[in-house]
Amino acid sequence: MQVFVTGASGWIGSAAVDELLADGHAVTVLARSAASAAALEAKGVRVQRGDLDDLDGLRRGADAAEAVLHLANKHDFANPAVSNAAERAAVQAFADTLAGSGRALLLAAGTAGLAQGRPATEEDTSSSFGPDSPRGGAENLALEYVDRGVHVVSLRFSPTVHGVGDHGFIAAITDAARRNGVSGYPGDGSNRWAAVHRSDAARLVALGLAKAPSGSRLHAVAEEGVSSREIAEAIGAVLDLPVTSVAPDDVAAHFGWIGGFFGMDGSATSTATQELLGWTPSGPTLVEDIAAGAYTTSEAR
């Protein structure tokens, strides 16, 4: 299958491209820079230069493909409205191009915030609607196109997709521990994050392309929930730092931009996804990765 991929040089995207190539797909990727283009071409993929603001380019990529895998996001935490608008516009461009064709659109989403007081499941619908909502309401926008001839699959990733080389949320929490000289957790540390290893997440993407029915919401979740206290204890152990609670009023100052996310409860299950796809996560757990130095060795930094 000819697959057009955005975010192909990113943390999840680069591993997903490897899985697609291993499965025999022909891959064309969107690349912003010459360096990214060169690295991706070395893998044996075709490169289309451009970015998420180049909507005509996105339409051309989708029009020439049998499936679109949309993993890119601006991740502008200082100005989320910019990220939300870009995400919605990109998904709209892809969906309009693919409408009526029966071709596939797989897009990244998240499990965090789907449910309160219990783990989120694939049956939970996103409460994000409209351009001003998180990620521009892109998941719900895309799912509207199921009845318009697009094979839509939502890829809901855990709050942490972990492993050596991850510079995301756990890396930011680890940096906060170094900066403060203590490994902190918000409040009583009982809030939990779902977690999945990068290799398992990438395999889920490939299986989703191959096997998921249109309208599917897939959960890239290996661990239902790892508490913020467990995360802080693992970081504290590997850095040899004391572990302490951080009062709610001090979370923003202590952790920086990641504080609001770290205090959220983001537990989720993937029972339905595993049964549907025959997907069995087998990578290291989050605590195992932290203990092995995934966020503290020279290779990780």
Short mmCIF file of all heavy atoms in Angstrom, two decimals, residues 215-264:
data_model
loop_
_atom_site.label_atom_id
_atom_site.label_comp_id
_atom_site.label_asym_id
_atom_site.label_seq_id
_atom_site.Cartn_x
_atom_site.Cartn_y
_atom_site.Cartn_z
N GLY A 215 -13.88 3.76 11.61
CA GLY A 215 -14.55 4.26 12.80
C GLY A 215 -13.92 3.77 14.09
O GLY A 215 -14.39 4.12 15.17
N SER A 216 -12.85 2.98 13.99
CA SER A 216 -12.21 2.44 15.18
C SER A 216 -11.50 3.52 15.98
O SER A 216 -10.91 4.44 15.43
CB SER A 216 -11.18 1.37 14.80
OG SER A 216 -11.78 0.25 14.20
N ARG A 217 -11.55 3.36 17.29
CA ARG A 217 -10.74 4.15 18.21
C ARG A 217 -9.82 3.17 18.92
O ARG A 217 -10.28 2.34 19.71
CB ARG A 217 -11.62 4.92 19.20
CG ARG A 217 -12.51 5.97 18.54
CD ARG A 217 -13.29 6.78 19.58
NE ARG A 217 -14.33 5.98 20.21
CZ ARG A 217 -15.62 6.03 19.89
NH1 ARG A 217 -16.04 6.84 18.93
NH2 ARG A 217 -16.50 5.28 20.54
N LEU A 218 -8.53 3.23 18.61
CA LEU A 218 -7.56 2.28 19.13
C LEU A 218 -6.79 2.91 20.28
O LEU A 218 -6.42 4.08 20.22
CB LEU A 218 -6.58 1.87 18.03
CG LEU A 218 -7.19 1.30 16.75
CD1 LEU A 218 -6.08 0.95 15.77
CD2 LEU A 218 -8.06 0.08 17.03
N HIS A 219 -6.51 2.11 21.31
CA HIS A 219 -5.76 2.60 22.45
C HIS A 219 -4.37 1.99 22.49
O HIS A 219 -4.21 0.77 22.66
CB HIS A 219 -6.50 2.27 23.76
CG HIS A 219 -7.61 3.21 24.07
ND1 HIS A 219 -8.17 3.33 25.32
CD2 HIS A 219 -8.25 4.13 23.29
CE1 HIS A 219 -9.12 4.26 25.30
NE2 HIS A 219 -9.18 4.75 24.07
N ALA A 220 -3.37 2.84 22.33
CA ALA A 220 -1.97 2.42 22.46
C ALA A 220 -1.61 2.49 23.94
O ALA A 220 -1.00 3.45 24.41
CB ALA A 220 -1.06 3.32 21.62
N VAL A 221 -2.02 1.47 24.66
CA VAL A 221 -1.86 1.41 26.11
C VAL A 221 -1.33 0.04 26.49
O VAL A 221 -1.95 -0.98 26.17
CB VAL A 221 -3.21 1.65 26.84
CG1 VAL A 221 -3.08 1.39 28.34
CG2 VAL A 221 -3.71 3.07 26.59
N ALA A 222 -0.19 0.00 27.15
CA ALA A 222 0.35 -1.25 27.68
C ALA A 222 0.09 -1.37 29.17
O ALA A 222 -0.25 -2.44 29.68
CB ALA A 222 1.84 -1.36 27.39
N GLU A 223 0.27 -0.25 29.90
CA GLU A 223 0.01 -0.21 31.34
C GLU A 223 -1.18 0.70 31.59
O GLU A 223 -1.18 1.86 31.17
CB GLU A 223 1.22 0.32 32.09
CG GLU A 223 2.46 -0.57 31.97
CD GLU A 223 3.61 0.01 32.75
OE1 GLU A 223 3.71 -0.30 33.96
OE2 GLU A 223 4.41 0.77 32.15
N GLU A 224 -2.16 0.19 32.30
CA GLU A 224 -3.38 0.95 32.55
C GLU A 224 -3.11 2.25 33.28
O GLU A 224 -3.72 3.28 32.98
CB GLU A 224 -4.36 0.09 33.33
CG GLU A 224 -5.66 0.78 33.69
CD GLU A 224 -6.59 -0.11 34.47
OE1 GLU A 224 -6.95 -1.19 33.96
OE2 GLU A 224 -6.98 0.27 35.60
N GLY A 225 -2.23 2.20 34.27
CA GLY A 225 -1.94 3.42 35.01
C GLY A 225 -0.72 3.27 35.90
O GLY A 225 -0.63 2.33 36.69
N VAL A 226 0.21 4.19 35.76
CA VAL A 226 1.38 4.28 36.63
C VAL A 226 1.23 5.57 37.41
O VAL A 226 1.08 6.65 36.82
CB VAL A 226 2.69 4.30 35.81
CG1 VAL A 226 3.90 4.25 36.74
CG2 VAL A 226 2.74 3.14 34.81
N SER A 227 1.24 5.48 38.74
CA SER A 227 0.96 6.67 39.55
C SER A 227 2.11 7.67 39.44
O SER A 227 3.27 7.31 39.22
CB SER A 227 0.74 6.29 41.01
OG SER A 227 1.96 5.93 41.63
N SER A 228 1.77 8.94 39.64
CA SER A 228 2.80 9.98 39.60
C SER A 228 3.83 9.76 40.71
O SER A 228 5.01 10.08 40.55
CB SER A 228 2.18 11.37 39.71
OG SER A 228 1.45 11.52 40.91
N ARG A 229 3.40 9.17 41.82
CA ARG A 229 4.36 8.87 42.89
C ARG A 229 5.35 7.78 42.44
O ARG A 229 6.55 7.89 42.71
CB ARG A 229 3.64 8.44 44.16
CG ARG A 229 4.61 8.16 45.30
CD ARG A 229 3.93 8.09 46.64
NE ARG A 229 4.90 7.96 47.73
CZ ARG A 229 4.65 8.21 48.99
NH1 ARG A 229 3.43 8.62 49.35
NH2 ARG A 229 5.58 8.07 49.91
N GLU A 230 4.84 6.74 41.77
CA GLU A 230 5.73 5.69 41.26
C GLU A 230 6.74 6.26 40.26
O GLU A 230 7.91 5.89 40.26
CB GLU A 230 4.92 4.60 40.59
CG GLU A 230 4.11 3.72 41.51
CD GLU A 230 3.28 2.71 40.73
OE1 GLU A 230 2.20 3.10 40.23
OE2 GLU A 230 3.73 1.56 40.58
N ILE A 231 6.26 7.16 39.41
CA ILE A 231 7.15 7.80 38.43
C ILE A 231 8.23 8.59 39.15
O ILE A 231 9.42 8.49 38.84
CB ILE A 231 6.34 8.69 37.47
CG1 ILE A 231 5.41 7.83 36.62
CG2 ILE A 231 7.28 9.52 36.59
CD1 ILE A 231 4.39 8.64 35.82
N ALA A 232 7.81 9.40 40.14
CA ALA A 232 8.78 10.21 40.88
C ALA A 232 9.77 9.34 41.65
O ALA A 232 10.97 9.66 41.72
CB ALA A 232 8.03 11.14 41.86
N GLU A 233 9.30 8.24 42.22
CA GLU A 233 10.19 7.35 42.96
C GLU A 233 11.21 6.71 42.04
O GLU A 233 12.39 6.58 42.41
CB GLU A 233 9.38 6.28 43.69
CG GLU A 233 8.60 6.83 44.88
CD GLU A 233 7.65 5.82 45.50
OE1 GLU A 233 7.35 4.80 44.84
OE2 GLU A 233 7.19 6.06 46.64
N ALA A 234 10.79 6.33 40.84
CA ALA A 234 11.72 5.73 39.89
C ALA A 234 12.78 6.75 39.45
O ALA A 234 13.97 6.42 39.34
CB ALA A 234 10.96 5.19 38.68
N ILE A 235 12.35 7.98 39.19
CA ILE A 235 13.29 9.04 38.80
C ILE A 235 14.23 9.36 39.96
O ILE A 235 15.44 9.51 39.78
CB ILE A 235 12.52 10.29 38.35
CG1 ILE A 235 11.77 10.00 37.05
CG2 ILE A 235 13.48 11.48 38.15
CD1 ILE A 235 10.79 11.10 36.63
N GLY A 236 13.67 9.45 41.17
CA GLY A 236 14.50 9.73 42.33
C GLY A 236 15.55 8.67 42.56
O GLY A 236 16.71 8.97 42.90
N ALA A 237 15.19 7.40 42.36
CA ALA A 237 16.13 6.31 42.57
C ALA A 237 17.28 6.37 41.58
O ALA A 237 18.45 6.20 41.95
CB ALA A 237 15.40 4.97 42.45
N VAL A 238 16.98 6.63 40.31
CA VAL A 238 18.04 6.61 39.31
C VAL A 238 18.93 7.85 39.39
O VAL A 238 20.12 7.81 39.04
CB VAL A 238 17.44 6.43 37.88
CG1 VAL A 238 16.82 7.72 37.37
CG2 VAL A 238 18.47 5.89 36.91
N LEU A 239 18.37 8.97 39.89
CA LEU A 239 19.16 10.20 40.06
C LEU A 239 19.73 10.35 41.46
O LEU A 239 20.46 11.31 41.73
CB LEU A 239 18.30 11.42 39.73
CG LEU A 239 17.88 11.63 38.28
CD1 LEU A 239 16.96 12.85 38.16
CD2 LEU A 239 19.09 11.79 37.37
N ASP A 240 19.38 9.42 42.33
CA ASP A 240 19.80 9.48 43.73
C ASP A 240 19.36 10.79 44.38
O ASP A 240 20.14 11.50 45.01
CB ASP A 240 21.32 9.31 43.86
CG ASP A 240 21.77 9.03 45.30
OD1 ASP A 240 20.92 8.54 46.07
OD2 ASP A 240 22.93 9.31 45.63
N LEU A 241 18.07 11.09 44.21
CA LEU A 241 17.48 12.30 44.78
C LEU A 241 16.35 11.93 45.73
O LEU A 241 15.68 10.90 45.54
CB LEU A 241 16.91 13.20 43.66
CG LEU A 241 17.90 13.85 42.71
CD1 LEU A 241 17.14 14.58 41.59
CD2 LEU A 241 18.80 14.82 43.45
N PRO A 242 16.10 12.76 46.74
CA PRO A 242 14.94 12.51 47.61
C PRO A 242 13.64 12.68 46.82
O PRO A 242 13.59 13.42 45.83
CB PRO A 242 15.07 13.57 48.70
CG PRO A 242 15.93 14.64 48.11
CD PRO A 242 16.87 13.95 47.16
N VAL A 243 12.60 12.00 47.28
CA VAL A 243 11.30 12.04 46.63
C VAL A 243 10.32 12.74 47.57
O VAL A 243 10.27 12.43 48.77
CB VAL A 243 10.80 10.62 46.31
CG1 VAL A 243 9.44 10.66 45.63
CG2 VAL A 243 11.81 9.89 45.42
N THR A 244 9.55 13.67 47.02
CA THR A 244 8.68 14.46 47.89
C THR A 244 7.39 14.86 47.18
O THR A 244 7.35 14.96 45.95
CB THR A 244 9.41 15.74 48.37
OG1 THR A 244 8.59 16.42 49.31
CG2 THR A 244 9.70 16.67 47.20
N SER A 245 6.37 15.09 47.97
CA SER A 245 5.12 15.64 47.45
C SER A 245 5.28 17.12 47.16
O SER A 245 5.99 17.84 47.89
CB SER A 245 4.00 15.43 48.47
OG SER A 245 2.85 16.15 48.11
N VAL A 246 4.62 17.59 46.12
CA VAL A 246 4.60 19.01 45.78
C VAL A 246 3.16 19.50 45.96
O VAL A 246 2.24 18.95 45.35
CB VAL A 246 5.08 19.25 44.34
CG1 VAL A 246 4.99 20.74 43.98
CG2 VAL A 246 6.50 18.74 44.15
N ALA A 247 2.98 20.50 46.79
CA ALA A 247 1.64 21.02 47.05
C ALA A 247 1.01 21.55 45.76
O ALA A 247 1.71 22.09 44.90
CB ALA A 247 1.72 22.14 48.08
N PRO A 248 -0.31 21.41 45.63
CA PRO A 248 -0.98 21.85 44.40
C PRO A 248 -0.65 23.28 43.99
O PRO A 248 -0.47 23.57 42.80
CB PRO A 248 -2.46 21.69 44.74
CG PRO A 248 -2.50 20.56 45.73
CD PRO A 248 -1.25 20.73 46.55
N ASP A 249 -0.54 24.19 44.95
CA ASP A 249 -0.26 25.58 44.62
C ASP A 249 1.17 25.78 44.11
O ASP A 249 1.48 26.83 43.52
CB ASP A 249 -0.47 26.47 45.85
CG ASP A 249 -1.94 26.62 46.21
OD1 ASP A 249 -2.80 26.27 45.36
OD2 ASP A 249 -2.23 27.07 47.34
N ASP A 250 2.04 24.80 44.34
CA ASP A 250 3.44 24.93 43.95
C ASP A 250 3.79 24.13 42.70
O ASP A 250 4.94 24.16 42.24
CB ASP A 250 4.35 24.46 45.09
CG ASP A 250 4.19 25.32 46.34
OD1 ASP A 250 3.91 26.52 46.19
OD2 ASP A 250 4.34 24.77 47.45
N VAL A 251 2.82 23.39 42.16
CA VAL A 251 3.09 22.48 41.03
C VAL A 251 3.63 23.23 39.82
O VAL A 251 4.61 22.81 39.20
CB VAL A 251 1.82 21.68 40.67
CG1 VAL A 251 1.95 21.06 39.28
CG2 VAL A 251 1.58 20.60 41.70
N ALA A 252 3.01 24.35 39.47
CA ALA A 252 3.44 25.09 38.27
C ALA A 252 4.86 25.59 38.42
O ALA A 252 5.68 25.48 37.48
CB ALA A 252 2.49 26.25 38.01
N ALA A 253 5.21 26.13 39.58
CA ALA A 253 6.57 26.65 39.78
C ALA A 253 7.59 25.53 39.82
O ALA A 253 8.71 25.67 39.31
CB ALA A 253 6.62 27.45 41.07
N HIS A 254 7.22 24.40 40.41
CA HIS A 254 8.17 23.29 40.56
C HIS A 254 8.43 22.59 39.23
O HIS A 254 9.59 22.34 38.87
CB HIS A 254 7.63 22.29 41.58
CG HIS A 254 8.55 21.15 41.87
ND1 HIS A 254 9.47 21.18 42.89
CD2 HIS A 254 8.72 19.95 41.25
CE1 HIS A 254 10.16 20.06 42.90
NE2 HIS A 254 9.72 19.29 41.92
N PHE A 255 7.38 22.27 38.50
CA PHE A 255 7.53 21.45 37.29
C PHE A 255 7.60 22.27 36.00
O PHE A 255 8.02 21.75 34.97
CB PHE A 255 6.37 20.45 37.17
CG PHE A 255 6.35 19.39 38.23
CD1 PHE A 255 5.46 19.47 39.30
CD2 PHE A 255 7.23 18.32 38.18
CE1 PHE A 255 5.44 18.50 40.28
CE2 PHE A 255 7.21 17.33 39.16
CZ PHE A 255 6.32 17.43 40.21
N GLY A 256 7.15 23.51 36.02
CA GLY A 256 7.08 24.26 34.78
C GLY A 256 5.88 23.85 33.96
O GLY A 256 4.85 23.42 34.50
N TRP A 257 6.01 23.95 32.65
CA TRP A 257 4.86 23.71 31.76
C TRP A 257 4.26 22.31 31.89
O TRP A 257 3.07 22.11 31.63
CB TRP A 257 5.26 23.95 30.31
CG TRP A 257 6.28 22.97 29.78
CD1 TRP A 257 7.63 23.12 29.81
CD2 TRP A 257 6.02 21.71 29.18
NE1 TRP A 257 8.24 22.01 29.26
CE2 TRP A 257 7.28 21.14 28.86
CE3 TRP A 257 4.85 21.01 28.87
CZ2 TRP A 257 7.40 19.89 28.25
CZ3 TRP A 257 4.97 19.76 28.26
CH2 TRP A 257 6.22 19.21 27.95
N ILE A 258 5.05 21.35 32.32
CA ILE A 258 4.55 19.98 32.41
C ILE A 258 3.69 19.76 33.65
O ILE A 258 2.96 18.76 33.75
CB ILE A 258 5.74 18.98 32.41
CG1 ILE A 258 5.26 17.53 32.25
CG2 ILE A 258 6.56 19.11 33.69
CD1 ILE A 258 4.55 17.24 30.96
N GLY A 259 3.71 20.71 34.59
CA GLY A 259 3.01 20.51 35.86
C GLY A 259 1.53 20.21 35.71
O GLY A 259 1.00 19.30 36.37
N GLY A 260 0.84 20.96 34.86
CA GLY A 260 -0.58 20.73 34.68
C GLY A 260 -0.89 19.35 34.15
O GLY A 260 -1.88 18.72 34.54
N PHE A 261 -0.04 18.85 33.26
CA PHE A 261 -0.24 17.51 32.70
C PHE A 261 0.07 16.44 33.75
O PHE A 261 -0.63 15.44 33.85
CB PHE A 261 0.64 17.30 31.48
CG PHE A 261 0.30 18.17 30.31
CD1 PHE A 261 1.05 19.30 30.02
CD2 PHE A 261 -0.79 17.89 29.50
CE1 PHE A 261 0.74 20.12 28.95
CE2 PHE A 261 -1.12 18.70 28.43
CZ PHE A 261 -0.35 19.82 28.15
N PHE A 262 1.15 16.65 34.52
CA PHE A 262 1.57 15.64 35.47
C PHE A 262 0.52 15.43 36.56
O PHE A 262 0.41 14.35 37.14
CB PHE A 262 2.91 16.04 36.09
CG PHE A 262 3.65 14.92 36.76
CD1 PHE A 262 3.47 13.59 36.38
CD2 PHE A 262 4.55 15.19 37.78
CE1 PHE A 262 4.17 12.56 37.00
CE2 PHE A 262 5.26 14.15 38.42
CZ PHE A 262 5.06 12.84 38.02
N GLY A 263 -0.25 16.46 36.84
CA GLY A 263 -1.28 16.35 37.87
C GLY A 263 -2.59 15.76 37.39
O GLY A 263 -3.50 15.50 38.18
N MET A 264 -2.71 15.50 36.10
CA MET A 264 -3.93 14.93 35.54
C MET A 264 -3.98 13.43 35.77
O MET A 264 -2.95 12.76 35.87
CB MET A 264 -4.03 15.20 34.04
CG MET A 264 -4.24 16.63 33.64
SD MET A 264 -4.20 16.82 31.84
CE MET A 264 -5.58 15.75 31.36
#
